[in-house]
Amino acid sequence: MEDKLVRVAITHGDTNGIGYEIILKTFADPEMFELCIPIVYGSPKVAAYHKKLLSMQTNFSIIDKAEDAKPGRLNIIATFDEEVKIDMGQPSKEAGEAALKALDRAMTDYRSELYDVLVTAPINKNNIHSDLFNFPGHTEYIEHCVGEGNEALMILMNGQLRVALVTTHLPIKNVAQAISKEAIVKKATILANSLKRDFRISSPRIAVLALNPHAGDNGVIGNEENDIIIPAINELEENGIQAFGPYPADGFFGSGAYYNFDAVLAMYHDQGLAPFKALAVEEGINYTAGLPIIRTSPDHGTAYDIAGLGKADPMSFRHAIFTAIDIFRNRSYYDEPFANPLPKLFHEKRDEGEKARFAQPKQKPIPPKASQEQA
């Protein structure tokens, strides 16, 4: 497959956060245009405001639709007409509405195949929450819009570590009841398939974390390991998936055991993400596996405390773009052998007589004439 410039859709996120700063800083580097055609879903006016505020020189082109995006430039689509009040570093419903309009337009354009991958700048979940966005976050909303019945899996990753979650944005009090053998098997299977197709790992090894401290100490602290997690691991092994554990989370990360695995499956949000963010520093990204759409994002939030100060580090955002492009190409290579299956033995319009000849039963052989000795 010949490499091409990948069309990268970018939603601008919360307009009072660092979204435009990391976008503009990323595409101040002209080498980025050798990898992709960026299409920002947002507001040229808001982009110009941030550019002036930050004294940045990154130029951009205003386009009406994704089809008009040109290589070698930062393309921005206006996803709404009304003025948006910018109040840097401050949460507001107006900023949330602007983020949702950009995301909605990007979802619509994905259905029309107008871009290849999606990278989302950070949103404020409280600001964007409304009757139109009644979801815990980006992941669930994108799954609802373009998941086509598939279930999403959140993976936090960098060059050395991938952490996936059985449960995502749940209150801690609800985690234990949401852990089931079926849920673990389903998420681990999605993870294994993603490692093969999206990351080209032929035989991935997955570490499964325990739910309770010390992996339950054989039922002294909790029974979820014996009753749920170990049976799930056994079923995964029966299905040909290399799953190991359950491992107590503290010792697993503290000892560096994660280096021995291609991915880690954590039971809940903070169990996996707290150690990941401590280890990943500025290179971590969020990848939404399991869906037809390829979507990544930086692993940080809106960073209101430094918004408008020029201090935002674009490294995580840049890696989100790199990862999305890599996954797009990996999927293309992985899927290519399945694109043209071998033809059937008989074509529909092949000569009917030819079919009949093969379909006729064989005649019994004529026995030789008996010799006179036999007679």
Side-chain angles (χ1 to χ4, degrees), residues 207 247 251-261:
Y247 299 102
F252 181 83
F253 287 106
S255 66
Y258 54 87
Y259 283 113
N260 299 319
F261 299 92

Side-chain angles (χ1 to χ4, degrees), residues 151-154 163-170 175 178-188 208-209 229 264-269 271:
E151 189 168 326
L153 176 70
M154 181 187 294
V163 178
L165 306 175
V166 175
T167 63
T168 51
H169 301 110
L170 279 182
V175 168
I179 300 296
S180 66
K181 186 182 81 166
E182 293 73 21
I184 295 170
V185 170
K186 180 183 289 187
K187 296 294 187 180
V208 181
L209 298 186
I229 301 177
V264 180
L265 184 64
M267 294 297 112
Y268 59 93
H269 188 280
Q271 182 189 50

Side-chain angles (χ1 to χ4, degrees), residues 152-214:
L153 176 70
M154 181 187 294
I155 302 178
L156 274 288
M157 56 176 287
N158 66 359
Q160 293 78 42
L161 176 62
R162 302 179 188 92
V163 178
L165 306 175
V166 175
T167 63
T168 51
H169 301 110
L170 279 182
I172 290 295
K173 65 179 182 179
N174 298 336
V175 168
Q177 65 190 48
I179 300 296
S180 66
K181 186 182 81 166
E182 293 73 21
I184 295 170
V185 170
K186 180 183 289 187
K187 296 294 187 180
T189 302
I190 296 172
L191 177 58
N193 290 337
S194 176
L195 291 169
K196 291 177 183 178
R197 185 181 183 216
D198 299 335
F199 300 98
R200 303 183 74 183
I201 300 172
S202 59
S203 184
R205 293 165 53 89
I206 298 172
V208 181
L209 298 186
L211 175 65
N212 298 299
H214 307 294

Side-chain angles (χ1 to χ4, degrees), residues 10-89:
I10 299 167
T11 53
H12 67 175
D14 191 292
T15 52
N16 292 336
I18 62 170
Y20 273 109
E21 180 176 345
I22 57 178
I23 293 170
L24 293 171
K25 283 182 175 179
T26 294
F27 290 100
D29 180 359
E31 291 186 0
M32 292 298 296
F33 299 111
E34 297 176 11
L35 297 174
C36 66
I37 301 174
I39 309 167
V40 178
Y41 288 78
S43 166
K45 292 181 179 179
V46 175
Y49 178 92
H50 282 256
K51 176 182 174 181
K52 182 178 180 180
L53 177 68
L54 298 165
S55 301
M56 297 193 65
Q57 304 302 314
T58 309
N59 293 320
F60 58 83
S61 298
I62 303 171
I63 59 176
D64 294 324
K65 54 187 184 301
E67 299 97 306
D68 298 333
K70 297 292 189 291
R73 65 183 69 177
L74 181 61
N75 304 275
I76 299 184
I77 298 175
T79 56
F80 49 86
D81 298 326
E82 62 271 21
E83 296 286 339
V84 176
K85 181 183 177 183
I86 307 299
D87 194 1
M88 297 301 298

